[in-house]
Structure formats: structure tokens, C-alpha cells
Amino acid sequence: MNPVWKTGDEKMSHILVADVGGTKLATALFNQHQQLLIKREVPSDISTRDALFHCLINSFELLCMEKKLSFKDISKVSIGLPGIVDVQKGLAIYQNNIPWRNFPICERLVEFFPHAQIMMDNDVHMAAWGEYNARGFQKETMVYVTLSTGISCCTIVNGEFLRGTGLAGEIGFNIVGHAGETLEESVAGPAIEKLGRVLLGNSAIRLKDMMELYYKGDPIMEKVLQQIIDCMEKQLHQMILMLDPHCIVLGGGFFNHQPKIIEQIKEVIQQRLLRTPFEGKEQIIESSIRKAEAGLYGAAMK
């Protein structure tokens, strides 16, 4: 799949993985059988590029200490990063929420793990790989869609990522509104929160509280959420027609906590596909199996 930056002994021992975000840093320790042993989350120190890197190393050290291991016992380190990455060169190229622009993350990790395999990829790709493996897929086509503060997707075909020239899956830029509004501007968490605050006349209410109102039948929030359902239905409908995948997984912070919305999206797609060759294909749409741990499992299994 990815190039291995540093290859050590063939014998596997333990695996350290990380899912690096602008708000939190999730790390985990797996054994040689890719079973999760321990994980932890800490706030991301994004004050400087080195501060964030040392935050990562410190978290790895604490995981190892708890299991009475040293860095010498680690055979692989695998990292998922937001934004644009250069997998071949081991570089974090660009992110809008962490200070690692053109940061040689793999080269820096080799300093601490000279005998381990060092791997990195985009965080959405890592989560997609976690979901792909959770289903026992090997040759299937699967699309993983993540919706939280932004929206993106990753497509895997025959066990390989569909990368294009590097930006494949950036569906947030898709135009969905008559005035040129993008998908991300219409369905991502900040956009929904902004719209909800305006319509509810409450500038302080948060998305979590909005969703509670929605499930209580609040008509304003029903209107707000209908925007998500309509936009996502159209996006997923296009994916089904273009790729005819075996599975579409809806994950990320929003979908992981809102399974009812997934079912409502499927109901709308079901009606759209009636009396077409794609009738019944809404059943390929599934919720995430690994949820928030998808990226960690994906990194361990790379």
C-alpha cells in the first residue's frame, strides 16, 4: 500500500499508532496480532510544530511505560494526519488546523524508532482502511465518507486507494447550491451550527443541543437537518451511479453519533432508486463499525 520508510526486523512485536488532529491527539498501542491493547487521548499542543511533535512522542512514551515496554520493542509506527500528505516522501504538506506544513514527520520519527517501520497517510485514508478491514474486504470497492467539522471521502478498489493525482475524495468542494454553496458549506458541523443559531435566534447554542431539539421534534431543527439529508442523498446517489460500490460507510463525528440521520438518508435514496437498475442499492450504505477508533485500527493494519 504505502512505502515503508524504515524496515527493521521481520518479527513483529508491538505497533504504535496515532490519529493527529487540531483539537485532540489519539494514540494507541497494538500487539503483533493487531489487537488494541491501550489507547489515550490528549489535547493537541499546536503552539509550534515541535510542540505538537513532542506531544506525540510523550503520548507514545506513556503508552509504552504503562505496558512496561521501551521504544526498542516497537516494530511499527503508523500515523494518520489531516490535510495533504506526501506518502512517498513522508511529509505532512499542508493542514489548516495543525502547524506541520512541509514537516518531515517520518524522518523525525526515525530518530526515535530507528529499527521500526515508519508509515503515514491522510487520516481519512487510515479510517477508511480500518473500516475496509473490519468488514473483511479484500477485493471489494468501498467508499468511506466522513462528516464532522468538514467532509471528505476515500475510495478503495481491490484493496488499493483511489488517489488520483493526490486530491481524490475532496467532495466538500462539490457545488450543491444555486448560489454556488459547496457541500461542506451546507452539511459540515460549523455550517449547520451557524444556520441553526440564526434560525433559532440563539447565538450560543451548540450542535449537540440542536440535535436534542431535533429528536424532540423541533420544526426549526427539522428544517436545518433536512438540508443535510437532501445534500447527502444527492452526493451518495452520485457515488452509487458512478462507482456501483459494494459498500458506502458513513463515519466521522457527526454520523457516528446520529444513526437516525443515516437511516433517513437511506429512505430518501430508496425512493430515488425505485424502478431503476439500482433499486435496493441503498442497502449498501452502512454506519461505521470502528467509529472513532477507525483511524487507529486502520493505521495499525497498514
Side-chain angles (χ1 to χ4, degrees):
M1 299 296 298
N2 284 340
V4 176
W5 253 75
K6 192 77 174 181
T7 303
D9 298 333
E10 289 297 321
K11 181 180 178 182
M12 297 292 289
S13 54
H14 291 81
I15 304 167
L16 283 171
V17 303
D19 188 354
V20 183
T23 302
K24 65 181 180 181
L25 169 67
T27 54
L29 178 70
F30 287 75
N31 64 16
Q32 66 269 36
H33 304 297
Q34 298 174 337
Q35 296 171 323
L36 178 62
L37 300 179
I38 184 175
K39 65 174 182 175
R40 68 192 310 267
E41 286 187 3
V42 297
S44 298
D45 184 349
I46 58 174
S47 57
T48 67
R49 55 170 26 192
D50 284 331
L52 181 58
F53 180 75
H54 289 301
C55 183
L56 172 66
I57 295 299
N58 290 339
S59 189
F60 280 161
E61 287 178 338
L62 290 173
L63 289 174
C64 289
M65 287 173 59
E66 188 157 343
K67 291 297 180 180
K68 296 180 172 57
L69 299 171
S70 73
F71 282 177
K72 293 181 180 179
D73 298 307
I74 303 303
S75 60
K76 182 170 74 172
V77 181
S78 187
I79 311 292
L81 302 173
I84 302 172
V85 300
D86 187 327
V87 175
Q88 300 295 327
K89 295 181 180 179
L91 292 175
I93 301 296
Y94 173 82
Q95 318 80 32
N96 61 8
N97 57 350
I98 65 173
W100 277 358
R101 297 186 184 184
N102 297 311
F103 185 70
I105 177 64
C106 288
E107 183 179 302
R108 292 292 300 273
L109 286 170
V110 168
E111 297 172 11
F112 290 85
F113 302 94
H115 304 295
Q117 297 177 344
I118 308 295
M119 309 178 74
M120 57 89 76
D121 209 327
N122 172 268
D123 54 358
V124 180
H125 285 67
M126 288 298 197
W129 193 242
E131 292 293 327
Y132 197 79
N133 281 273
R135 289 164 172 76
F137 287 169
Q138 293 181 328
K139 297 296 183 180
E140 290 82 355
T141 297
M142 188 197 85
V143 182
Y144 174 78
V145 180
T146 176
L147 175 60
S148 54
T149 55
I151 183 168
S152 184
C153 78
C154 172
T155 303
I156 302 175
V157 182
N158 292 324
E160 298 287 341
F161 290 124
L162 185 63
R163 296 183 185 271
T165 60
L167 294 175
E170 293 294 341
I171 58 174
F173 292 99
N174 189 19
I175 302 298
V176 297
H178 295 298
E181 300 92 345
T182 66
L183 183 64
E184 185 159 309
E185 291 169 340
S186 302
V187 305
I192 294 303
E193 204 168 59
K194 180 180 179 180
L195 178 60
R197 286 172 176 175
V198 171
L199 295 180
L200 291 168
N202 184 340
S203 61
I205 191 170
R206 304 193 63 177
L207 183 57
K208 179 181 178 182
D209 300 315
M210 292 180 188
M211 294 307 301
E212 291 180 1
L213 290 175
Y214 171 73
Y215 288 119
K216 291 177 181 178
D218 182 271
I220 294 177
M221 284 311 301
E222 287 182 354
K223 179 180 179 180
V224 172
L225 268 295
Q226 192 61 46
Q227 176 171 298
I228 291 182
I229 294 169
D230 291 343
C231 289
M232 288 307 305
E233 178 271 326
K234 291 180 176 63
Q235 181 68 58
L236 299 179
H237 180 250
Q238 292 173 7
M239 290 179 177
I240 292 172
L241 298 185
M242 181 172 291
L243 296 171
D244 189 21
H246 297 86
C247 181
I248 297 176
V249 179
L250 302 186
F254 182 81
F255 285 132
N256 286 345
H257 294 94
Q258 312 300 336
K260 182 179 177 181
I261 302 299
I262 295 177
E263 291 306 312
Q264 290 177 307
I265 292 171
K266 290 174 65 175
E267 289 173 6
V268 178
I269 294 178
Q270 179 187 31
Q271 295 302 310
R272 184 177 289 272
L273 296 178
L274 285 176
R275 294 178 294 280
T276 76
F278 295 89
E279 185 170 345
K281 289 285 187 177
E282 73 282 350
Q283 295 303 320
I284 69 171
I285 300 172
E286 302 177 2
S287 59
S288 169
I289 292 176
R290 297 295 190 189
K291 306 297 184 187
E293 295 178 347
L296 297 176
Y297 274 93
M301 294 175 176
K302 289 290 286 179

